[in-house]
Amino acid sequence: FCLRWMLLGACIFVAATGLLVYSEVRMVMLTREIDQCVVEGRQMDRNLAWRKGKVEDWRGYMTFGAVFFLIVSLCMILFPLCRMATSLLLSMGYNFSGCYLLAFTYALLCAVIWALFVCGLCWSCTRTWTAGILIVLALLGQGALDSGAAPAVVLWVIVSMLVAWVWLKWGKSLVNEAPYAEEEKERLIPSEP
């Protein structure tokens, strides 16, 4: 019985990861098309503007939905283990009731860390600074989680929230990731009218 829940959780984890990759790669590809318009010095056409609106509208739902299903899938994997561990400890005379809360917290943190890592990989070919920050936050989170120390995990959560706030507030002024037209190339090889 426990193995079936764990296998179903693993299948949902793979599907949620696929949804996350689909959502982010769709946005990355659209961003690359918009960047190409900027580099070529032309305006976005109506079709591209319409697609941009559609992709941006659905991206939040798909990304947060994928993270939600990652959490659910990890809970489906970890809760049967909690049930087995709790019954085993109870048979030896120990009463441990915090396993489910611990498993949920671990599932939540693992899902967020995995989502940061996957998003960082997806954005690595278009927005390298953003991707680098996401991947570094994911690796630091995994290190904090592997340390087993609650203060390290709490510190990682606080630092991650602070970095996200700084990046969203001042990121564009700190690092310019926007595309630009190559003026030197234009002078050497003039574009045809």
Side-chain angles (χ1 to χ4, degrees):
F1 179 73
C2 290
L3 185 60
R4 277 185 263 171
W5 279 105
M6 293 170 74
L7 287 175
L8 181 61
C11 290
I12 292 173
F13 184 87
V14 170
T17 301
L19 179 63
L20 182 64
V21 168
Y22 173 74
S23 170
E24 293 302 313
V25 166
R26 215 172 129 200
M27 189 66 195
V28 166
M29 296 305 290
L30 183 71
T31 303
R32 290 179 69 89
E33 279 187 61
I34 294 169
D35 290 353
Q36 188 64 32
C37 288
V38 170
V39 168
E40 292 173 357
R42 60 182 169 90
Q43 293 289 332
M44 277 195 305
D45 60 355
R46 276 189 183 169
N47 183 30
L48 186 59
W50 179 80
R51 281 191 4 231
K52 179 182 181 222
K54 283 299 231 186
V55 169
E56 287 175 348
D57 287 346
W58 283 98
R59 178 183 176 216
Y61 296 119
M62 287 195 294
T63 300
F64 287 113
V67 172
F68 172 76
F69 282 113
L70 285 172
I71 294 168
V72 168
S73 68
L74 289 171
C75 285
M76 289 174 72
I77 293 169
L78 293 174
F79 280 7
L81 296 174
C82 274
R83 187 174 144 208
M84 290 184 333
T86 304
S87 62
L88 180 67
L89 289 173
L90 203 58
S91 70
M92 294 189 301
Y94 298 105
N95 187 11
F96 179 63
S97 60
C99 186
Y100 292 102
L101 179 63
L102 186 65
F104 175 75
T105 306
Y106 190 77
L108 175 69
L109 291 171
C110 282
V112 169
I113 290 167
W114 179 246
L116 286 171
F117 185 72
V118 169
C119 289
L121 289 179
C122 289
W123 283 96
S124 63
C125 63
T126 302
R127 300 286 187 260
T128 52
W129 281 100
T130 303
I133 288 172
L134 291 173
I135 291 172
V136 166
L137 285 177
L139 294 176
L140 289 174
Q142 188 61 43
L145 206 56
D146 287 345
S147 74
V153 174
V154 171
L155 180 66
W156 173 76
V157 169
I158 292 169
V159 167
S160 296
M161 293 169 100
L162 182 66
V163 166
W165 180 73
V166 167
W167 186 252
L168 292 174
K169 183 107 172 143
W170 294 298
K172 290 188 181 201
S173 61
L174 294 174
V175 176
N176 185 13
E177 289 187 310
Y180 53 89
E182 298 178 25
E183 290 131 14
E184 185 174 317
K185 179 182 172 187
E186 185 66 31
R187 281 185 270 151
L188 295 175
I189 307 170
S191 61
E192 296 179 30

